[in-house]
Amino acid sequence: MSSSELDTLIGTRWKKPPFIRRVWLRSALVLGGFLYLVLAIASVEVNWSRVYEGLERGAAFVAAFTTPDFTTRAADIREGMLESIVMTVAASVVGILISIPIGLGAARNLAPLPVYLVCRGIIAVSRALQEIIVAILLVAIFGFGPLAGFLTLSFATIGFLSKLLAEDIESMDRAQAEAVRATGARWTQWINYGVQPQFMPRLIGLSMYRLDINFRESAILGLVGAGGIGATLNTAFDRYEFDTAAAILILIIVIVMALEYLSGIVRSRVQ
Amino acid sequence: MATRTLPDGTRTWRRFTPSQSVVRWMGWLIGVAVFVWCWNRISESTTWFFVWDAPRIAGDIISRATPPKWPYVNELWWPIWDTLNIATLGTLGSLVMAVPVAFLAARNTTPSRFLVRPVALLIIVSTRSINSLIWALLLIAIIGPGVFAGIVAIAIRSVGFCAKLLYEAIEEIEQTQVEAIAATGASRWQVMLYGIVPQIMPALAGIAVFRWDINIRESTVLGLVGAGGIGLQLSASLNVLAWAQVAVILLIILAAVGLGEWVSAKVRGAII
Amino acid sequence: MLRLEKLTKTYKTGDQALKQVDLEVPQGQVLALIGPSGAGKSTLIRCINRLVEPTGGAAWLGGVNLTALGQRALRRERRRMGMIFQEYALVERLTVMENVLSGRLGYVGFWRSFLRRFPQSDVDEAYRLLDRVGLLHMADKRADELSGGQRQRVGICRALIQNPALLLVDEPTASLDPKTSRQIMRLIVELCRERDLAAIINIHDVALAQMFVMRVIGLELGRIVFDGAPDALTPDVLTQIYGEEDWEATIQTVEEEEEEAGTA
Ligand SMILES: Nc1ncnc2c1ncn2[C@@H]1O[C@H](COP(=O)(O)OP(=O)(O)OP(=O)(O)O)[C@@H](O)[C@H]1O
Ligand SMILES: [Mg+2]
């Protein structure tokens, strides 16, 4: 055997071969990363005395979670929560309904090119713009209130769902769809029998997931005047009413958990 | 599915039994009722006069926003740098917290299923359910406005997301590799280092880049509530209705988001 | 050297995998453990190094009762028991060298293992072992780049670098082709002879067992039903272990193969 190779190796130190083998690339990455971190950290101004003072308030906030105050602003909280839920539900329904045709139109194997481009464009714009930015613009256009929030969430839902649906349809089992077409079915029949059975379960699962996201997002839209619990929460923080803020946050967490639980059940049912 | 015998003796196939279809119809009916009710509430709190006026306002905004005020870009370099730092440092900070939480939450590594694991899961759920803007509001109330609050907000918000994905990865590792290391007489920490960590490394890297991409988006708007980054300029420009500046900022945000997505796709491609 | 006294394992599900097994293995003896699927072979091996906790009885290694040890002492004793697995159980994303050196983890501290700074004597030993199994040139390859036979060789190196007194081998050849299976079995047996190691080898292939080992234990439903030399495995005995079947064919091929091996 290669005992000469062994003789040369015995007594030499062993080092794990580096992850990136090219020396220059490795050193450039390490150096660059290090330099960036130093610069980045140096450029963050931290007012440590302010932070130190804040620790006390932080502790007060954590303590507030043990004594959440649901009563003092009960009316505000109830109105805000209800508005959040209403916006979430309405926007999810409308968003899902609109995202189905757009998703179909954005699937290259179903739609003709012009339709495809338009649908993809809508999806791209919706995904690139943050909910909160859309909300700002819509508030500027439609005025304050839940209508702006509702439109924001619907628009975001469309971008999210249509893209996933389109990808699903594009990658779905062609053979199966083809088999239906081979029987001479009409286009609507083809959608109904060849495409729909494959993506319905996915659509339901994704919709539940999006409902969950929409609720979480609805909680911040109030910050820019687009309705929902966010305004109440913002006021609570402004006035350092941590007990009320804690109460609202607990409500949000509980509702999100409930929605996750629900969507787990629904998803296991449809699959 | 059910077959039904018609009066004339022929049998027809139906997808649902009659009672099933009644339940379905009821379901639809309730769904529609709920939606209509929701819509009514929204419509009640809407000033429709403004809405009918919307096309004119939109046209007005667009005409003021075009052409974008390009020289304004020069005032944005520093905020852009801040935004990048909020996303990057926030992601790093969240990973530092998420890794231990994930190990405490994974069924196969948690020290105690009945005491520690629920706490870890609670941390994951609560940090995940609350939007980073809310975390930012909270942190500003506590430690004052600025980039630092933004970094901490992003870090906390990302803990749940990263820890959830990571603990799922930990639960999927191959247990025999871990057993093999344990069988050599390695200590608990060594087993983790040699048996578990190498198996989850790719997942960890993927999660980090994925979350960084999301955090770039989120850090662009943190400034709206005063937590640093380009959102501050956005908020200031909006307050004075300087739509031409708003247009520049939005375009820059779009570019940053696109760039972030591109980088993360590249890096993930290189890892996998 | 290894002595099992009334070793018993009852799983939480109620399966009695081991029923009061008594067994004594002297230094340097390589024995094969055969038996139908579900007989409790893996359980027996894993109860010895306590990857599975036995529910009763005792296992003595030298003068130490393994079943009575605390965590720390157990880790120390595990160093004296090398284990080889059916699916190799290499850490796939580590290099061959790291996999081999992980056999020394019981001997080095946490930070040394974290920084991969193993003592030079360990590194030299790893090189020697890799050379012995013919994989020295693969030392810096990642484990998932190796073939099955190569992986099992690395697994053997990892077990041997522990400097064990006993090898626990769970179906070393079950995922390998017949030729590689023989090579691996031969390698294990040779290495045991060189180092005067005792070994317990779980194996399904009776013919292969007969070729290489000096003692065969037959296990059925958690009980030892046969204990003797390989030649004593008659069709009657195999029927007792595995149930009714035409065993002549199996045994005949063994004899032919042995002749073949003798002439080769
Ligand atoms: N983790 C476990 N939990 C419950 N029962 C188990 C477990 N592992 C094994 N058993 C049971 O213990 C008995 C012995 O299993 P063991 O794995 O030791 O058999 P084996 O002889 O190694 O079989 P094979 O040849 O298929 O590997 C079987 O009845 C099995 O169902
Ligand atoms: Mg087994």
Side-chain angles (χ1 to χ4, degrees):
Chain A
M1 262 182 221
S2 54
S3 53
S4 66
E5 196 186 336
L6 177 65
D7 289 338
T8 57
L9 279 173
I10 291 283
T12 58
R13 276 188 53 198
W14 166 78
K15 269 172 74 183
K16 181 182 169 65
F19 181 61
I20 300 165
R21 297 194 185 221
R22 270 170 295 178
V23 180
W24 64 266
L25 184 62
R26 186 168 74 240
S27 21
L29 281 178
V30 169
L31 206 75
F34 181 74
L35 209 67
Y36 167 75
L37 274 187
V38 169
L39 286 178
I41 292 172
S43 76
V44 176
E45 284 169 26
V46 185
N47 183 348
W48 287 111
S49 64
R50 179 76 171 76
V51 172
Y52 183 74
E53 282 167 32
L55 288 182
E56 204 176 304
R57 245 169 293 162
F61 175 73
V62 173
F65 268 94
T66 59
T67 57
D69 176 6
F70 292 93
T71 47
T72 314
R73 308 222 166 264
D76 287 349
I77 296 179
R78 203 180 47 237
E79 279 302 302
M81 271 297 167
L82 204 60
E83 202 167 69
S84 271
I85 294 172
V86 161
M87 275 166 20
T88 306
V89 172
S92 300
V93 171
V94 171
I96 292 164
L97 289 182
I98 299 180
S99 70
I100 292 173
I102 294 192
L104 291 174
R108 192 65 197 95
N109 54 347
L110 288 188
L113 191 63
V115 178
Y116 170 81
L117 288 179
V118 169
C119 291
R120 282 282 162 177
I122 295 174
I123 292 175
V125 172
S126 155
R127 286 174 55 81
L129 288 173
Q130 294 263 305
E131 277 92 341
I132 196 85
I133 292 179
V134 177
I136 290 174
L137 296 179
L138 290 178
V139 167
I141 296 175
F142 292 101
F144 292 107
L147 183 71
F150 158 76
L151 291 174
T152 305
L153 293 178
S154 306
F155 186 55
T157 307
I158 291 169
F160 175 88
L161 273 183
S162 313
K163 172 153 189 280
L164 293 173
L165 284 183
E167 276 165 11
D168 257 19
I169 297 170
E170 279 175 357
S171 70
M172 109 196 145
D173 186 9
R174 269 157 196 277
Q176 193 176 333
E178 229 105 280
V180 175
R181 187 138 63 173
T183 63
R186 271 181 290 119
W187 193 80
T188 47
Q189 285 177 324
W190 175 51
I191 293 289
N192 202 354
Y193 290 92
V195 178
Q196 190 208 11
Q198 291 190 46
F199 89 7
M200 256 337 246
R202 262 278 283 175
L203 175 67
I204 293 174
L206 289 172
S207 305
M208 288 305 296
Y209 181 48
R210 185 65 217 187
L211 190 70
D212 181 6
I213 300 179
N214 277 349
F215 179 74
R216 290 184 221 186
E217 294 293 334
S218 78
I220 54 161
L221 295 180
L223 301 182
V224 295
I229 190 72
T232 320
L233 190 61
N234 198 6
T235 325
F237 278 128
D238 275 350
R239 299 185 187 153
Y240 294 115
E241 289 173 352
F242 287 150
D243 296 353
T244 304
I248 296 174
L249 292 183
I250 289 175
L251 281 178
I252 295 178
I253 293 173
V254 167
I255 293 182
V256 169
M257 276 168 81
L259 279 176
E260 270 184 13
Y261 183 70
L262 192 71
S263 82
I265 292 180
V266 170
R267 260 181 287 184
S268 64
R269 274 212 159 182
V270 293
Q271 269 152 17
Chain B
M1 287 177 217
T3 52
R4 198 169 67 135
T5 313
L6 293 179
D8 59 356
T10 55
R11 284 152 68 87
T12 57
W13 176 84
R14 296 175 142 233
R15 232 164 123 186
F16 303 102
T17 59
S19 65
Q20 266 177 323
S21 18
V22 168
V23 171
R24 289 204 137 217
W25 280 111
M26 285 300 285
W28 279 110
L29 214 65
I30 293 172
V32 170
V34 168
F35 175 74
V36 170
W37 180 77
C38 288
W39 174 250
N40 273 336
R41 282 200 60 105
I42 292 176
S43 143
E44 273 165 27
S45 24
T46 303
T47 320
W48 286 101
F49 169 72
F50 285 132
V51 177
W52 303 135
D53 207 24
R56 196 185 55 76
I57 297 176
D60 184 46
I61 289 176
I62 290 174
S63 72
R64 283 169 197 243
T66 44
K69 189 177 157 198
W70 289 114
Y72 184 61
V73 171
N74 287 324
E75 287 173 45
L76 293 178
W77 297 121
W78 193 251
I80 292 174
W81 167 253
D82 276 346
T83 307
L84 176 69
N85 290 342
I86 292 175
T88 313
L89 298 179
T91 309
L92 288 178
S94 85
L95 288 177
V96 171
M97 294 184 272
V99 170
V101 172
F103 274 99
L104 297 180
R107 283 195 192 84
N108 47 351
T109 53
T110 182
S112 144
R113 276 191 190 206
F114 300 105
L115 275 153
V116 179
R117 183 159 191 265
V119 175
L121 289 181
L122 187 68
I123 294 178
I124 291 175
V125 173
S126 48
T127 51
R128 239 160 56 87
S129 342
I130 296 174
N131 198 290
S132 49
L133 277 172
I134 297 180
W135 282 115
L137 276 180
L138 169 64
L139 284 157
I140 287 166
I142 293 176
I143 58 178
V147 174
F148 187 59
I151 294 175
V152 180
I154 289 283
I156 295 180
R157 151 80 165 162
S158 314
V159 167
F161 180 92
C162 297
K164 178 163 195 276
L165 292 178
L166 192 59
Y167 96 71
E168 284 168 357
I170 295 177
E171 287 185 349
E172 276 167 22
I173 60 174
E174 241 186 78
Q175 208 55 39
T176 51
Q177 299 182 21
V178 182
E179 282 182 338
I181 299 294
T184 65
S187 70
R188 180 191 271 262
W189 291 100
Q190 286 175 324
V191 171
M192 203 158 189
L193 197 63
Y194 275 71
I196 299 177
V197 171
Q199 293 196 58
I200 59 168
M201 248 358 228
L204 180 64
I207 293 166
V209 180
F210 185 26
R211 187 66 219 187
W212 177 78
D213 178 15
I214 299 177
N215 283 345
I216 288 272
R217 292 161 187 262
E218 303 218 326
S219 60
T220 55
V221 293
L222 283 182
L224 291 174
V225 296
I230 197 166
L232 282 174
Q233 272 63 30
L234 180 60
S235 152
S237 307
L238 281 169
N239 282 342
V240 296
L241 300 179
W243 289 105
Q245 291 182 16
V246 171
V248 174
I249 294 173
L250 289 187
L251 288 173
I252 284 184
I253 290 179
L254 285 186
V257 168
L259 205 69
E261 204 160 292
W262 182 78
V263 169
S264 102
K266 279 278 156 200
V267 174
R268 261 183 291 167
I271 295 171
I272 299 163
Chain C
M1 191 214 42
L2 176 77
R3 191 154 45 86
L4 307 183
E5 283 173 358
K6 298 199 165 48
L7 196 67
T8 305
K9 171 69 191 179
T10 312
Y11 281 105
K12 282 208 197 77
T13 51
D15 291 280
Q16 268 216 326
L18 294 178
K19 295 169 188 156
Q20 310 221 337
V21 172
D22 289 303
L23 180 66
E24 179 137 17
V25 186
Q27 170 117 26
Q29 186 179 66
V30 176
L31 69 78
L33 197 56
I34 62 171
S37 195
K41 305 183 297 295
S42 303
T43 308
L44 179 69
I45 280 200
R46 284 162 172 262
C47 277
I48 296 173
N49 68 1
R50 282 175 56 189
L51 283 181
V52 168
E53 287 291 339
T55 45
W60 295 83
L61 182 67
V64 184
N65 181 1
L66 297 171
T67 47
L69 297 176
Q71 278 302 314
R72 182 175 288 268
L74 172 64
R75 286 205 296 270
R76 189 191 304 270
E77 289 307 314
R78 274 182 177 168
R79 303 187 306 198
R80 295 171 58 205
M81 299 177 278
M83 187 154 178
I84 297 170
F85 294 78
Q86 171 180 348
E87 300 282 353
Y88 330 118
L90 299 185
V91 183
E92 303 208 334
R93 301 188 58 87
L94 294 182
T95 62
V96 167
M97 197 62 180
E98 283 172 295
N99 269 294
V100 176
L101 284 170
S102 68
R104 296 300 292 178
L105 286 176
Y107 296 89
V108 302
F110 175 79
W111 287 107
R112 280 205 123 170
S113 54
F114 177 72
L115 298 169
R116 309 293 197 259
R117 299 191 43 154
F118 288 85
Q120 189 61 44
S121 56
D122 291 356
V123 174
D124 288 348
E125 179 63 13
Y127 282 138
R128 268 189 219 108
L129 281 167
L130 282 175
D131 187 49
R132 173 68 182 78
V133 302
L135 287 178
L136 192 57
H137 58 288
M138 298 279 207
D140 281 336
K141 279 241 160 61
R142 242 170 58 171
D144 53 7
E145 294 170 27
L146 305 188
S147 72
Q150 291 170 332
R151 287 185 201 200
Q152 195 56 292
R153 285 163 210 265
V154 176
I156 293 171
C157 291
R158 175 174 65 189
L160 287 178
I161 203 172
Q162 283 177 238
N163 201 8
L166 171 70
L167 278 187
L168 302 171
V169 190
D170 197 355
E171 301 189 21
T173 61
S175 327
L176 300 174
D177 68 74
K179 180 149 182 265
T180 320
S181 295
R182 284 198 197 183
Q183 291 172 341
I184 292 289
M185 273 302 278
R186 187 170 296 130
L187 185 65
I188 293 174
V189 173
E190 273 176 16
L191 285 164
C192 286
R193 200 171 301 143
E194 280 169 26
R195 299 170 172 239
D196 200 23
L197 296 181
I200 301 181
I201 305 179
N202 271 355
I203 191 158
H204 272 300
D205 188 336
V206 178
L208 203 60
Q210 283 177 304
M211 266 165 86
F212 289 105
V213 302
M214 24 191 154
R215 180 180 172 195
V216 176
I217 303 282
L219 206 61
E220 202 228 336
L221 290 175
R223 265 189 246 281
I224 293 183
V225 292
F226 174 82
D227 181 354
D231 312 336
L233 276 178
T234 57
D236 287 344
V237 174
L238 287 176
T239 304
Q240 194 194 347
I241 301 174
Y242 288 102
E244 203 63 54
E245 191 54 63
D246 178 16
W247 296 109
E248 290 299 337
T250 319
I251 297 177
Q252 249 161 24
T253 51
V254 172
E255 278 153 11
E256 278 160 25
E257 275 175 308
E258 256 170 337
E259 277 160 28
E260 202 180 284
T263 54

